[in-house]
Amino acid sequence: MTPTLTRRGWILSTCAWLVLCLAQAPLLTVADTKHDLVADPWGFLHQALSPWTDVFPLGQLQNQAYGYLFPHGLFFALLSWLPDWLTQRLWWTLLLTLAFAGTVKLLDALGPHGTGSRASRLVAAVLFALSPRIMTTLGAISSEAWTIALVPWILLPVVRILGASSPTRRQTATAACSSAVAVLCLGAVNAVASLAAVLPAVIWWVCHARRPTAWRFLAWWVPAGVLACFWWVGPLLILGRYSPPFTDFIESAGITTHWFSLGEVLRGTTSWTPYLSDERQAGAALVGEPVFVAATLFLALLGLWGLSGMSRTRVPYRHVWLVMLGCGLLIFGVAGPFSPVQDAARSFLDGAGAPLRNHHKFDALVHLPLVIGLAHLLGRVSVPGWAQRGHWAHPEKHRPVIMVTAVGLLVATLTAPAWSARLVPVDGYRSVPSYWTEAADWLNDPANGAADSRTMILPRAASARQDWGNTRDEPAQALLDVPWVVRDAVPLVPPEAIRGLDGVQREFDTGAPSESLAAALTQQGVGYLLVRSDLTRVAHTPGARSVLRTLRNSPGFTEEASFGDGDVRIFRVGGADGASPTAPRTVHTDDLDVVAGGPEVLPRLAAADGGTPHDRVLTG
């Protein structure tokens, strides 16, 4: 068959995706996945080579940082000489181009003449690349959108080889390795998202398992897939064995599955974040604006109609697409609001199945079959050629013109969040202010001694959202070489350490003087405090005023430096008597007092001892 796009067509389509991405908040860097990935990609990748870091927050096993080594982190590192915002837009361009191209090639490979017409295949590919799932995550967490974009590339070799009449051994091995290379390119930022991206190909193989070619293909595919995942499975097992149970402190299944009604699942708007926050502009529009709700529902109905077999011809491999769609609906429905086993499913997702809690990662199982059905259905629409250009003067007399106009309006509506420049999250920034760099340089200077203790960033904030822009991660994260700590939404440290942080934070939140606070910080190894005054209210922070009031009225704190217009201040912690932080030491258990409570009571214990550090055993 004739390919849908020629070489010239591929070049023009890539340029179109580039223009679309460059139009998204030009010159502004946005909070996409990891701040370090943009600000210091080589430093981030170097640090990711070690499973343990002592730099932040109190020493931790890094949560799948190794997953960024390839391809996400490598892309940003190789292009680190470009402006940060431009590197982000080029990454998004690559992602959208791959999603579009993979869908076009997959549609071409379905049957001797492909699925639908050339025009309908292009429309379907655009709608897959700009699906609600991708538009919701592209600017805010592109590592998840990336796995969706590669789904067609993982599936394509499977479709081709299992559809061939008598492939050779070499062709079978090449197809298996090609699919495995696509799996390798998924990276390992999120293991469940990678699993979800492979699942459509697995379903396709299962539906063709009776063919002898399928087993020969599997003999190559499984080892190649294992090799593609081997580099990250080992570190993941180590993380699961030793990491604190941070999944106990993040979103619950009741939140992540709350919006799993049939309509939302078919629309592709199952990600829970846009329902609670307007940070992701495209996602918030898709779940909240009636025009997008109606358009995405209409698209889902058209896709179902194309798959149903009620059209003149049946879509190639209809049974496979229906099985895939059914698996997707089952995965979403089992914990949905109308499921008879909802309580049991949610209990599982809040327990042993916590990694599977965010079902929206399986969106491709639903959206890809619907896009295939749409391409098949729209293949019946006749596009007026150049010889019929006069028909556009009187569209009411020519049905093809009316149909093409209606499809064009539907596509324009469905993709409006993209061409209206809403793919980016809110609060982009041109650059991190210089006072952050100056403060980090001061702390990194060996002459100031910050490397011998730990620096606490105050006030606490769920995420770093400043009045000059949203970095989500702390701006200091890519700047500091000395150990530091902050009480953010979920510190990846043991619960006991989090309780200790909370006890100190409560003292700062009151704004009242504390005789024991310096001693409590000393016991936690904190020798310096970095107080920032540029957080916004939406960062869920008590603000800097109470912190500064406590520091200036409590003994044991000395302001060492100030940067900007007082935007960042550095205080030295000397204990209640002005002494330096106590060094680690060995004590005899006979000399320890046993009290009821936990690490959060350390400031109160220090107060009971007259503001001096005292050895205790905490229980409870």
Side-chain angles (χ1 to χ4, degrees):
M1 66 166 291
T2 304
T4 299
L5 286 177
T6 62
R7 179 180 297 180
R8 182 182 179 184
W10 287 118
I11 294 174
L12 290 176
S13 64
T14 302
C15 291
W17 291 118
L18 176 61
V19 170
L20 177 68
C21 292
L22 292 178
Q24 309 296 321
L27 303 179
L28 295 183
T29 305
V30 297
D32 176 10
T33 310
K34 287 286 185 182
H35 175 62
D36 310 49
L37 208 57
V38 174
D40 183 23
W42 285 113
F44 175 74
L45 294 184
H46 176 75
Q47 185 170 265
L49 293 175
S50 173
W52 175 266
T53 176
D54 190 46
V55 176
F56 64 92
L58 289 169
Q60 69 169 38
L61 280 171
Q62 300 188 78
N63 181 23
Q64 300 189 69
Y66 52 83
Y68 292 93
L69 291 173
F70 177 82
H72 202 162
L74 182 62
F75 182 93
F76 277 79
L78 292 178
L79 297 183
S80 57
W81 51 276
L82 293 173
D84 295 345
W85 77 272
L86 182 56
T87 306
Q88 280 188 332
R89 303 313 186 269
L90 292 177
W91 170 251
W92 299 350
T93 300
L94 176 62
L95 189 155
L96 293 175
T97 300
L98 286 175
F100 170 79
T103 308
V104 169
K105 288 185 173 293
L106 180 61
L107 289 166
D108 285 347
L110 295 174
H113 303 291
T115 296
S117 63
R118 294 178 66 179
S120 72
R121 290 195 285 271
L122 291 176
V123 169
V126 168
L127 293 179
F128 181 81
L130 293 177
S131 64
R133 171 69 178 156
I134 290 182
M135 286 196 291
T136 298
T137 56
L138 180 68
I141 182 167
S142 62
S143 56
E144 289 192 7
W146 175 256
T147 59
I148 299 292
L150 291 184
V151 167
W153 292 99
I154 299 171
L155 180 58
L156 178 61
V158 186
V159 171
R160 284 176 172 172
I161 201 65
L162 297 185
S165 55
S166 55
T168 64
R169 290 184 178 180
R170 182 174 181 178
Q171 290 173 329
T172 303
T174 301
C177 292
S178 298
S179 182
V181 168
V183 173
L184 173 67
C185 291
L186 288 172
V189 175
N190 190 289
V192 175
S194 297
L195 170 66
V198 177
L199 201 51
V202 173
I203 293 173
W204 193 277
W205 181 90
V206 170
C207 291
H208 294 83
R210 293 183 178 181
R211 299 186 181 184
T213 304
W215 293 96
R216 291 197 297 269
F217 174 78
L218 187 68
W220 283 96
W221 196 33
V222 171
V226 170
L227 288 175
C229 300
F230 184 78
W231 66 279
W232 58 265
V233 170
L236 180 62
L237 294 175
I238 294 174
L239 178 69
R241 173 66 177 83
Y242 296 103
S243 178
F246 59 87
T247 54
D248 295 345
F249 310 110
I250 56 177
E251 66 274 0
S252 66
I255 292 294
T256 61
T257 63
H258 182 75
W259 291 275
F260 280 7
S261 65
L262 180 60
E264 301 301 331
V265 171
L266 291 175
R267 292 203 308 123
T269 52
T270 52
S271 179
W272 57 273
T273 307
Y275 292 94
L276 304 179
S277 170
D278 59 357
E279 177 185 340
R280 303 180 185 184
Q281 298 183 83
L286 289 168
V287 303
E289 297 185 20
V291 64
F292 296 125
V293 174
T296 49
L297 273 176
F298 187 57
L299 170 65
L301 293 175
L302 291 178
L304 290 173
W305 186 9
L307 289 175
S308 66
M310 291 187 293
S311 55
R312 294 177 183 176
T313 58
R314 287 195 172 188
V315 60
Y317 304 104
R318 173 174 170 265
H319 69 290
V320 184
W321 297 119
L322 289 177
V323 170
M324 193 179 300
L325 177 62
C327 289
L329 294 177
L330 179 62
I331 289 174
F332 283 103
V334 70
F338 304 108
S339 170
V341 294
Q342 179 195 74
D343 292 339
R346 290 184 175 180
S347 296
F348 169 74
L349 294 174
D350 282 332
L356 303 172
R357 191 180 291 156
N358 284 295
H359 278 25
H360 53 77
K361 298 169 186 175
F362 294 89
D363 176 76
L365 289 173
V366 175
H367 196 73
L368 184 58
L370 294 179
V371 163
I372 300 298
L374 179 72
H376 178 70
L377 183 67
L378 295 184
R380 298 170 50 191
V381 177
S382 176
V383 180
W386 180 253
Q388 301 170 308
R389 60 187 182 277
H391 293 180
W392 292 93
H394 299 282
E396 72 280 359
K397 299 180 181 180
H398 304 282
R399 184 179 178 184
V401 175
I402 297 176
M403 295 294 292
V404 170
T405 302
V407 172
L409 289 174
L410 177 62
V411 173
T413 302
L414 290 166
T415 59
W419 53 258
S420 61
R422 285 186 279 182
L423 293 179
V424 293
V426 297
D427 293 340
Y429 58 95
R430 288 185 177 271
S431 62
V432 176
S434 58
Y435 56 78
W436 274 103
T437 304
E438 294 166 1
D441 289 342
W442 191 94
L443 290 167
N444 290 333
D445 188 346
N448 294 317
D452 298 328
S453 61
R454 191 170 296 274
T455 298
M456 178 175 286
I457 298 177
L458 295 169
R460 60 180 172 85
S463 63
R465 195 164 177 178
Q466 294 81 205
D467 52 20
W468 47 265
N470 178 22
T471 57
R472 195 174 300 132
D473 293 327
E474 291 295 334
Q477 186 166 302
L479 300 172
L480 287 177
D481 299 324
V482 299
W484 59 275
V485 61
V486 67
R487 177 54 167 107
D488 56 11
V490 185
L492 298 181
V493 294
E496 296 79 8
I498 298 178
R499 292 172 66 179
L501 286 174
D502 287 342
V504 171
Q505 299 299 319
R506 280 197 294 268
E507 298 296 312
F508 284 116
D509 293 349
T510 63
S514 173
E515 296 290 330
S516 61
L517 185 55
L521 288 168
T522 296
Q523 289 178 322
Q524 294 186 355
V526 175
Y528 287 88
L529 303 175
L530 186 153
V531 183
R532 66 301 191 49
S533 302
D534 56 359
L535 290 172
T536 63
R537 292 181 179 272
V538 292
H540 303 291
T541 175
R545 288 186 179 180
S546 61
V547 174
L548 292 173
R549 190 181 306 118
T550 297
L551 291 176
R552 287 166 178 164
N553 296 320
S554 303
F557 300 103
T558 305
E559 184 170 350
E560 296 287 333
S562 177
F563 303 94
D565 190 16
D567 296 285
V568 171
R569 293 179 171 89
I570 296 176
F571 290 80
R572 186 188 299 273
V573 181
D577 56 356
S580 300
T582 56
R585 63 194 187 281
T586 302
V587 298
H588 295 288
T589 55
D590 294 339
D591 298 330
L592 298 176
D593 294 331
V594 179
V595 298
E600 69 275 9
V601 303
L602 281 175
R604 309 294 169 82
L605 293 179
D609 292 329
T612 59
H614 195 72
D615 297 312
R616 303 258 186 188
V617 172
L618 304 177
T619 64

